Amino acid sequence: TAYSALLARWQQQQRERAVLLAGVSHDLRSPLGRIRLGAELLPDTPAVAGRKAAIIRNVAEADRLIGSFLDLVRAETQAMDEVVDLCDAARTVLAGFDRSPAELTLQAPDRLLWPRAHRLLVERLLFNLVDNALKHGRAPVRLVLGGDGQRAWIEVTDAGDGIAADQVEAMQEAFVRGDPSRSTPGTGLGLAIVRQVVGRLGGRLSFHAAAPGQTVRVELGPAAG
């Protein structure tokens, strides 16, 4: 009875946290939109142009950070009721990165369908893996997808220094940053969202040292158990 009561309280706290994050994030976007609109209406004179650009840039960064909070909520609550083409999602995600083939490549079959998924969450999973490799690793970054109908796997490999073995678990916690100096923009939610989505997909997330660099691997299907 005590365990059931504890579990019920924990679940209620999780729901309240999700509502709080979603509500605050949504409410913050309205004033940010007004600030951006006001900035864009400023004259493009030499005396104003620099400050105008700084305002717009900072509003865009704040909006991106708010988007990360909403992604964390969606990763926990979004219904997994779609059949998603993982390869098409990967091509869509990589098209959004302004990187040359020498910096970012995709190796994947023409089609790889996966049930009990959600397109938005799959794209967020892929985006966060690639974005993390580009920001905290080094190019070239390679995204590889494969599968046989019963299983599927996603691998992202970069040429950076990788994550120390004793830091892997901590780096998957929300708000933990790999850059203690905070010189790299971010919220520390990237890998936390990845872990949430992988869990919702019933998969397994693992980190492997490469030579050089690191590979992050997501396994879906029977092998994930």
Side-chain angles (χ1 to χ4, degrees):
T1 300
Y3 174 77
S4 297
L6 177 63
L7 180 61
R9 287 197 300 272
W10 179 80
Q11 291 172 335
Q12 178 65 24
Q13 290 172 352
Q14 291 294 96
R15 289 192 294 269
E16 290 173 351
R17 184 174 70 102
V19 170
L20 175 64
L21 280 174
V24 170
S25 299
H26 179 271
D27 291 345
L28 283 174
R29 277 187 157 164
S30 293
L32 281 175
R34 292 193 295 271
I35 292 170
R36 177 161 189 159
L37 178 61
E40 290 175 343
L41 292 174
L42 293 172
D44 285 321
T45 61
V48 175
R51 294 179 181 178
K52 175 180 177 178
I55 293 171
I56 293 174
R57 183 174 62 252
N58 281 284
V59 167
E61 178 65 15
D63 189 68
R64 188 186 67 79
L65 298 178
I66 290 170
S68 295
F69 291 121
L70 290 174
D71 287 338
L72 184 63
V73 173
R74 293 189 189 106
E76 296 175 343
T77 60
Q78 191 73 56
M80 309 296 277
D81 55 3
E82 298 177 358
V83 177
V84 176
D85 184 345
L86 302 181
C87 297
D88 184 66
R91 286 188 284 270
T92 298
V93 168
L94 262 61
F97 286 94
D98 186 19
R99 299 285 181 150
S100 69
E103 296 175 296
L104 180 59
T105 58
L106 171 65
Q107 178 183 328
D110 292 335
R111 198 178 190 203
L112 183 57
L113 298 180
W114 196 256
R116 297 181 299 281
H118 192 280
R119 174 70 181 230
L120 177 63
L121 293 189
V122 170
E123 289 186 1
R124 186 48 50 183
L125 164 69
L126 294 166
F127 175 87
N128 283 359
L129 286 174
V130 173
D131 188 57
N132 196 67
L134 289 169
K135 282 183 178 177
H136 303 290
R138 280 193 298 271
V141 172
R142 185 175 72 254
L143 172 60
V144 180
L145 288 85
D148 57 13
Q150 298 297 317
R151 300 179 303 126
W153 57 88
I154 301 165
E155 288 186 347
V156 176
T157 301
D158 67 72
D161 297 330
I163 302 174
D166 60 352
Q167 293 294 313
V168 167
E169 186 63 29
M171 290 302 300
Q172 297 175 62
E173 297 293 332
F175 307 109
V176 174
R177 304 265 311 263
D179 177 14
S181 68
R182 295 183 177 267
S183 60
T184 303
T187 60
L189 290 175
L191 288 180
I193 293 170
V194 165
R195 183 168 69 172
Q196 285 280 4
V197 176
V198 171
R200 296 291 309 285
L201 290 168
R204 185 169 70 90
L205 177 66
S206 57
F207 297 76
H208 308 274
Q214 178 174 263
T215 295
V216 183
R217 180 178 175 89
V218 175
E219 298 179 43
L220 306 175

